[in-house]
Amino acid sequence: TLETKKGYIDSSYLGDPFRYYFRYSYKYKDNLLFSFSGDKDAGEELFGHSQKLGFDHYGVTFMLKNVGLVQKLALGNYNIQLGQGLTMWTGSSMKFAVDGNIKKYAPVVKAASPFAEYDFLKGAALQVALGKHTSMATFVSYTKRDATNMTVGDNGQNVFQSFYTSGYHRTESELQKKNLVGETVTGGSLQYANTNFTLGINGYYQHLDAILSPKEYFYNCYYFFGNNNMSVGVDASYLFRNILLFAESAFDGNGKNASIVGAQLWARNDVSLSVYYRNYAKDYQNMYSNGLGQNSDSKNENGLAAVFNFKLPWDICVVASADVFEMPWSRHQVYSPTNGMDCRLKLTKNNLLSIHHLLLGTSLLRSAYFLYANTSFYMLYNMKRKNNDIKIISHLQLSKKSCIFAG
């Protein structure tokens, strides 16, 4: 029996313990997408005094693609994803390339997840073709963000301590954090792409209608403080035969830099080697950076990583990777520089036949046998060392897709 959460016992949660959500989506070929969704988390009210509009969060997205010179037009909730994520990348993104593919392929403009409550833009984005190989994108967004500890500063301007990103609005205190800070984001991207070469020049400007002033600790002395920020960057890639080279370098409003450079080599279709090096300054300030690395944001880190992808007999796919990294400044609850190594080994096998033997017992015992096709075998071994601490994680999973015999 699951223990009842305290919020339901003392009635601090204003709603029932169920999550409700809906989504309506219409798609016409690959040219038109419309999505409308609503979401109420467990503990939040539905059509109550705190949620007079019904659901706690609504999402609307309209997307038009490949119509004349218009490559993409997004209205409502959308994401901007550029380069390798150092200049700007909203929405989800891989942080470590365990599948063997380390290069990010940025769509520039993308529809936001229908149930995302943060880390997306709201407004309009347009990407148009300027020629056979050149395109330009521009976007503008205004969003109300949740925030904590909002006060009035000495100059009469609102000041807050941090963004509140959980998306939960179950209690009175959580509701007081909702939609406190208005955020305006505008920017653009100029893209060139031919068969072997791509080049992107990207940038954005961010304005908050309140001043972000984090509580001062030793580890966060390089965090962003203020209400205006920007980032500009350049990304490029070049394919030479079976070698792909790529890089990105970005600068924030203070001129601090984050850079990444990498290469992928394909010896055969089933054998590849990928290597990348990253160097993110400890004082790089960009709320929308989302590059490869060990940290959740792209700062205070440098490292060298390699990923080897190959196949064993019987079509067993193997991905072996190692990442040697350093974080030169302290972090939350880590009060000294960090160095370490992250090693991973992943084995997968698809389209297996598996036999599942089940012993059934009530008053009489009997056996049942099931034969499954398209079974997937997945194993992950991860050893991670940070300074003198070693963490080992292993995971084994067998996924049965379809039963073809039972008896």
Side-chain angles (χ1 to χ4, degrees):
T1 303
L2 295 177
E3 183 178 356
T4 303
K5 289 187 176 182
K6 182 181 178 181
Y8 300 114
I9 297 175
D10 61 15
S11 299
S12 59
Y13 287 175
L14 302 176
D16 58 55
F18 302 104
R19 182 192 180 194
Y20 303 107
Y21 61 92
F22 72 89
R23 180 188 181 189
Y24 171 78
S25 180
Y26 173 79
K27 185 176 182 180
Y28 178 73
K29 297 182 179 179
D30 195 35
N31 302 110
L32 177 65
L33 170 67
F34 174 76
S35 175
F36 176 59
S37 59
D39 182 23
K40 181 204 87 74
D41 294 311
E44 295 176 342
E45 271 195 307
L46 181 67
F47 289 104
H49 78 279
S50 64
Q51 303 289 354
K52 292 182 172 56
L53 297 178
F55 288 82
D56 174 66
H57 171 74
Y58 289 97
V60 180
T61 298
F62 174 83
M63 192 88 172
L64 190 66
K65 297 173 63 177
N66 301 321
V67 178
L69 296 178
V70 176
Q71 294 180 334
K72 293 178 183 177
L73 170 65
L75 301 175
N77 297 355
Y78 63 91
N79 287 319
I80 295 294
Q81 300 178 345
L82 305 171
Q84 299 303 304
L86 301 185
T87 305
M88 188 173 200
W89 192 290
T90 65
S92 61
S93 175
M94 66 177 180
K95 300 299 295 182
F96 192 85
V98 74
D99 62 349
N101 184 22
I102 63 172
K103 184 183 183 299
K104 297 185 179 184
Y105 292 88
V108 183
V109 181
K110 183 180 179 181
S113 171
F115 303 115
E117 297 193 42
Y118 69 99
D119 198 22
F120 64 89
L121 302 179
K122 180 182 292 185
L126 175 65
Q127 184 179 6
V128 296
L130 300 181
K132 183 178 180 181
H133 302 291
T134 309
S135 66
M136 181 181 68
T138 183
F139 56 91
V140 61
S141 166
Y142 180 78
T143 313
K144 299 291 285 186
R145 302 292 191 192
D146 295 358
T148 64
N149 299 329
M150 178 72 80
T151 59
V152 179
D154 296 336
N155 59 356
Q157 191 167 3
N158 291 332
V159 179
F160 69 102
Q161 184 171 306
S162 64
F163 288 103
Y164 176 67
T165 59
S166 75
Y168 290 125
H169 303 106
R170 303 163 296 187
T171 65
E172 292 291 348
S173 62
E174 290 176 348
L175 283 165
Q176 291 173 4
K177 303 172 184 177
K178 187 175 181 180
N179 295 339
L180 292 183
V181 178
E183 178 196 48
T184 302
V185 179
T186 183
S189 174
L190 184 64
Q191 302 280 328
Y192 174 85
N194 62 25
T195 305
N196 298 322
F197 177 72
T198 67
L199 176 66
I201 303 174
N202 315 304
Y204 80 92
Y205 170 79
Q206 176 190 33
H207 172 74
L208 307 174
D209 64 10
I211 296 176
L212 174 58
S213 179
K215 189 174 181 179
E216 293 185 10
Y217 294 101
F218 177 74
Y219 74 88
N220 70 355
C221 65
Y222 293 111
Y223 281 25
F224 174 73
F225 176 99
N227 64 340
N228 295 300
N229 197 17
M230 62 174 293
S231 179
V232 294
V234 177
D235 68 273
S237 68
Y238 179 68
L239 178 63
F240 177 72
R241 296 183 180 178
N242 60 337
I243 301 175
L244 176 63
L245 307 174
F246 64 92
E248 182 180 13
S249 186
F251 295 86
D252 65 11
N254 297 316
K256 306 305 180 182
N257 177 255
S259 297
I260 186 171
V261 59
Q264 292 183 251
L265 168 66
W266 290 271
R268 297 199 311 259
N269 289 336
D270 56 355
V271 179
S272 67
L273 174 64
S274 305
V275 180
Y276 67 93
Y277 172 76
R278 61 197 183 276
N279 191 334
Y280 308 150
K282 62 185 177 183
D283 47 0
Y284 180 62
Q285 299 175 351
N286 185 347
M287 297 182 192
Y288 287 115
S289 64
N290 200 352
L292 292 172
Q294 297 287 334
N295 287 329
S296 58
D297 49 7
S298 304
K299 65 181 179 184
N300 187 33
E301 181 177 347
N302 57 73
L304 178 65
V307 184
F308 186 38
N309 194 353
F310 62 96
K311 272 190 178 182
L312 292 174
W314 305 293
D315 287 334
I316 298 176
C317 298
V318 181
V319 180
S321 60
D323 182 19
V324 181
F325 58 89
E326 179 188 21
M327 300 162 190
W329 191 253
S330 59
R331 295 168 294 125
H332 179 57
Q333 296 184 339
V334 181
Y335 302 104
S336 64
T338 304
N339 62 77
M341 176 181 290
D342 188 350
C343 300
R344 307 188 186 201
L345 177 65
K346 175 183 172 183
L347 284 75
T348 56
K349 173 73 173 99
N350 296 321
N351 300 320
L352 281 169
L353 284 176
S354 64
I355 298 177
H356 181 200
H357 173 251
L358 180 64
L359 187 65
L360 303 172
T362 49
S363 57
L364 296 174
L365 289 176
R366 66 183 182 89
S367 293
Y369 293 90
F370 300 88
L371 182 63
Y372 290 92
N374 299 322
T375 299
S376 297
F377 168 83
Y378 169 82
M379 185 187 79
L380 174 65
Y381 176 81
N382 179 206
M383 183 186 74
K384 191 170 187 178
R385 178 184 65 82
K386 286 187 176 180
N387 293 345
N388 295 322
D389 297 328
I390 297 178
K391 180 179 179 181
I392 297 177
I393 299 174
S394 60
H395 179 73
L396 180 64
Q397 178 178 321
L398 193 66
S399 302
K400 296 178 285 292
K401 300 293 182 65
S402 57
C403 181
I404 59 175
F405 174 80

